Structures are given as C-alpha cells and as structure tokens.
C-alpha cells in the first residue's frame, strides 16, 4: 500500500512538472506570435511538439483558457481568443480605466525614473517588439504603485491584448511615434502627461476598433 502510494505521488509530481513545462512553453509561443487570433489548436500536434502526453497538454491549455488567452472553438476544441468588435471595445475601455486608476496611485519619482530608462530602450521595428514594449511600459505604471496586484493585472491584460497589439502594429503606420509620446515629459507633470497619452492611445483604438478587429484575421 505504501509503495503504491509513493508511486502515485511520483506520477502526480511528474505530470505536474510536465504540465508546468508545457504551460510555460505554450505561453512563450503565444507571446512570440507563433499563433494567430482564432487559430484552432491541435492537441496532439502540441503534445508531439513538446514531447508530452495529451493529459498535461490539455491541463496547460485549460490554464490558458482560464487566463482568457484561449477559448472554446465553436466547432469543438480550443482556439486562440479572437474578440468580436464589442468585446474588443470593452477590453480597450477596461484597460484604459484600469491604467488611469493605477496612475493615480503611482509614485511620480518612480514613473519619471522608468520613463528615463525607456527612452534609452526604444523597441525594434517588428510588430512583436512594439507589443512587448507596450506591455512593459504599462506594467511600469503598476510597479510604480508598489503594489504587485496592479502590475500583475496590467500584465494579464497585456497578454490578453497581445495579438490585438500585433494587429495594431500592422494597421497603424506610426507605432514608434505613438510610443515615444508616452516618454515625453518636459515641464508637464508626469502623471498629467501619462494620463493624456493613455486616453489618446485607447481613444484611437476604440475609434478604429472595426479595422483592428478585421486585421486580427490577417496573418
């Protein structure tokens, strides 16, 4: 009995370890742009790619369903989330309001320090570079509060919007200029500047939400 129990615990430990490995690999692929919005996942192909059985792969995928990165496919199975126009507009509004609320609690000196660092580390020209830079920039606002809950929530929303931001970078012809406006401060209070930029950034996307939604289908 004791031997069987030890074997059971070992099996559970191995499966948990494999599930974590597959989960991290899937998340890395997701953020690297390996998938596309609406893409249907082949469970067996994922299992083969990551040299795992289907059980830990299914569990890893379900974790990402819980994070609202994957969702049920209408014809069965799982696909990468592709929000419709209304859902996408709602995500933009929620993200803007959360960032603005977080900004009110952020330490101004920490914000200025972060912006100075970002000025020296502008992204490359690939869509993925702009998406990653935007996620780090917004996360810095949360980190300036000293409360990890804010930065963690901002990070989660950035992951949900990752493929949308890839589409935005293809659609808009000035992603560099837009990001640079966040880093300007001058004589304006840093919170006032960021507040204006956050509002303008999200208003632009809400105004073009139909085009962005269409661009999500493009690869």
């Amino acid at each position: 009995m004791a031997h069987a129990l030890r074997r059971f615990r070992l099996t559970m430990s191995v499966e948990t370890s494999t599930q974590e490995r597959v989960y991290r690999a899937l998340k890395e692929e997701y953020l690297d742009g390996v998938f596309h919005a609406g893409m249907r996942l082949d469970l067996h192909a994922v299992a083969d790619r990551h040299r795992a059985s289907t059980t830990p792969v299914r569990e890893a995928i379900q974790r990402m369903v819980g994070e609202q990165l994957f969702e049920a496919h209408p014809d069965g199975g799982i696909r990468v989330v592709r929000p419709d126009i209304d859902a996408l507009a709602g995500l933009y509004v929620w993200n803007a309001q959360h960032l603005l609320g977080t900004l009110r609690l952020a330490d101004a000196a920490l914000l200025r320090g972060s912006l100075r660092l970002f000025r020296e580390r502008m992204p490359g020209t690939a869509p993925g570079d702009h998406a990653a830079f935007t996620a780090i920039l917004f996360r810095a606002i949360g980190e300036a509060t000293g409360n990890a809950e804010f930065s963690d929530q901002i990070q989660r929303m950035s992951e949900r919007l990752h493929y949308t931001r890839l589409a935005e970078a293809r659609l808009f012809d000035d992603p560099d200029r837009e990001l640079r406006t966040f880093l300007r401060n001058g004589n304006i209070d840093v919170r006032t500047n960021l507040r204006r930029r956050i509002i303008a950034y999200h208003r632009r996307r809400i105004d073009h939400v139909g085009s962005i939604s269409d661009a999500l289908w493009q690869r």
Side-chain angles (χ1 to χ4, degrees):
M1 181 67 179
H3 176 72
L5 184 58
R6 283 196 299 271
R7 187 170 59 184
F8 173 76
R9 288 174 177 169
L10 179 61
T11 301
M12 290 296 293
S13 176
V14 170
E15 288 183 353
T16 300
S17 176
T18 302
Q19 185 243 94
E20 183 65 24
R21 175 178 63 80
V22 173
Y23 167 76
R24 291 178 181 275
L26 275 175
K27 180 65 74 70
E28 185 175 348
E29 289 177 346
Y30 177 93
L31 295 175
D32 283 345
V34 170
F35 309 120
H36 60 82
M39 176 179 173
R40 190 172 185 173
L41 273 67
D42 184 322
L43 180 67
H44 294 284
V46 174
D48 289 343
R49 186 164 71 248
H50 296 290
R51 298 181 180 181
S53 67
T54 56
T55 297
V57 169
R58 186 178 291 107
E59 291 171 348
I61 287 173
Q62 286 303 318
R63 283 179 66 178
M64 294 180 70
V65 170
E67 294 172 355
Q68 297 177 283
L69 306 180
F70 296 157
E71 64 184 359
H73 193 286
D75 297 326
I78 298 294
R79 70 179 182 182
V80 179
V81 168
R82 183 198 180 276
D84 61 25
I85 292 177
D86 290 339
L88 184 54
L91 287 173
Y92 284 138
V93 171
W94 191 97
N95 197 53
Q97 292 301 320
H98 187 249
L99 286 171
L100 292 171
T102 302
L103 184 62
R104 287 195 292 269
L105 301 175
D107 180 90
L110 290 176
L111 287 172
R112 281 192 291 270
S114 294
L115 294 182
R116 280 195 296 270
L117 290 175
F118 284 124
R119 290 187 194 105
E120 302 169 1
R121 303 176 182 177
M122 286 300 294
T125 57
D129 295 333
H130 293 98
F133 189 87
T134 302
I136 297 170
L137 176 61
F138 286 168
R139 184 181 176 90
I141 297 173
E143 290 174 345
T145 67
N147 185 333
E149 290 297 327
F150 286 99
S151 53
D152 288 349
Q153 286 292 339
I154 291 170
Q155 177 64 31
R156 281 191 279 271
M157 181 55 73
S158 285
E159 291 177 356
R160 291 180 65 189
L161 286 169
H162 184 68
Y163 281 87
T164 301
R165 288 175 180 162
L166 295 180
E168 294 166 5
R170 295 192 300 267
L171 184 66
F172 299 147
D173 59 4
D174 59 347
D176 276 338
R177 185 191 64 79
E178 185 178 48
L179 288 175
R180 287 183 188 280
T181 63
F182 276 93
L183 308 181
R184 296 173 189 160
N185 192 19
N187 296 322
I188 302 175
D189 176 77
V190 64
R191 286 199 196 88
T192 300
N193 177 63
L194 285 175
R195 182 177 184 278
R196 292 174 179 174
R197 301 308 175 191
I198 289 168
I199 291 172
Y201 173 95
H202 288 89
R203 181 174 292 155
R204 182 186 193 190
R205 281 149 179 78
I206 292 169
D207 288 345
H208 293 85
V209 69
S211 298
I212 295 170
S213 180
D214 290 341
L216 277 171
W217 283 114
Q218 301 173 10
R219 305 180 191 178

